[in-house]
Amino acid sequence: MTVNITTDLVDLTLDVTLMLGPEVLHLALIFDPLHGPVLVDTGTPGQLTAITQALSDVNVNISDLRTILITHHDNDHIGALPDVVKASGAAVWAAPQEVAFIQDGVRGHKLPPLDRVDMALQNMPEPMRPAMRAMFTYVQPPIPVARHLQDDEVLDIAGGVRVISTPGHTVGHTSFFLERSRILISGDALMADKGRLLGPWDRATPDMKSAAESVGRLATLEPAAILCYHGGLVSEDVGNQLRRVAQDLANQYLSV
């Protein structure tokens, strides 16, 4: 299913099974009449067909993609990246801190060592283990990063897309702010549940202090809407919701 958010942005939804069980991922597709469509993140390994279908639903061929923006290197965000790049020829843009994990073969810093995967799976429900084993043992083929994104630079895409460094969930996690429509693509810096905005998942966020600082920075943008990779679109009372989350995180992680 796809959801048109504005003329600049579409929410591409993909079904997947992750650590919390079955869920929906929300990839962002940014439309730009001059530079072509831009995809933000690429789902899990093996999702090329699903991505191709989701693009087709909005009359985009995968070969139309020219740029892929990466929020961070977790396998549910770059798992299908090699397949998408091969099918499209698109250039990959990412923060410098994420490059080693994308193009140099460095194993994701939150993944268990390969010899401890079985131990990591023990506390998970049995039905989830095959999918998570595949995620934990997946070895990312190196993909060249054509452009290193700098904090606060504005990309010449769809009226201006500002690069926002939001570390915490990973060391180089990046969010993107569409200045014309004031929509924030938050990656995993924020989550949502049926329109209610939440902070990052602490179990998957090694540096919650930095994550809290990042959310505080996002709150200063005063977005009109937020597209969360996990949870989808937040469009009601966005400013107050974001300030509440930022304050809750500050109280918990920045007040000491």
Side-chain angles (χ1 to χ4, degrees), residues 132-171:
M132 293 313 301
R133 178 184 295 279
M135 289 285 289
F136 286 166
T137 58
Y138 175 71
V139 177
Q140 174 74 39
I143 297 296
V145 177
R147 179 168 173 174
H148 295 187
L149 300 174
Q150 303 303 315
D151 181 34
D152 213 36
E153 73 170 304
V154 179
L155 307 176
D156 184 21
I157 298 170
V161 174
R162 186 170 296 276
V163 177
I164 310 294
S165 178
T166 47
H169 185 73
T170 65
V171 65

Side-chain angles (χ1 to χ4, degrees), residues 81-160:
L81 182 61
D83 292 336
V84 175
V85 168
K86 183 177 180 180
S88 66
V92 177
W93 298 359
Q97 300 91 332
E98 299 291 305
V99 169
F101 304 102
I102 300 170
Q103 75 171 25
D104 298 333
V106 177
R107 184 165 169 79
H109 64 81
K110 291 186 290 184
L111 291 173
L114 287 171
D115 60 356
R116 296 188 180 180
V117 167
D118 288 338
M119 184 180 301
L121 294 172
Q122 285 179 358
N123 294 327
M124 295 183 184
E126 182 66 37
M128 291 171 52
R129 292 181 186 177
M132 293 313 301
R133 178 184 295 279
M135 289 285 289
F136 286 166
T137 58
Y138 175 71
V139 177
Q140 174 74 39
I143 297 296
V145 177
R147 179 168 173 174
H148 295 187
L149 300 174
Q150 303 303 315
D151 181 34
D152 213 36
E153 73 170 304
V154 179
L155 307 176
D156 184 21
I157 298 170

Side-chain angles (χ1 to χ4, degrees), residues 27-41:
L27 285 61
L29 182 68
I30 305 171
F31 285 104
D32 182 278
L34 180 62
H35 301 100
V38 176
L39 185 64
V40 183
D41 292 338

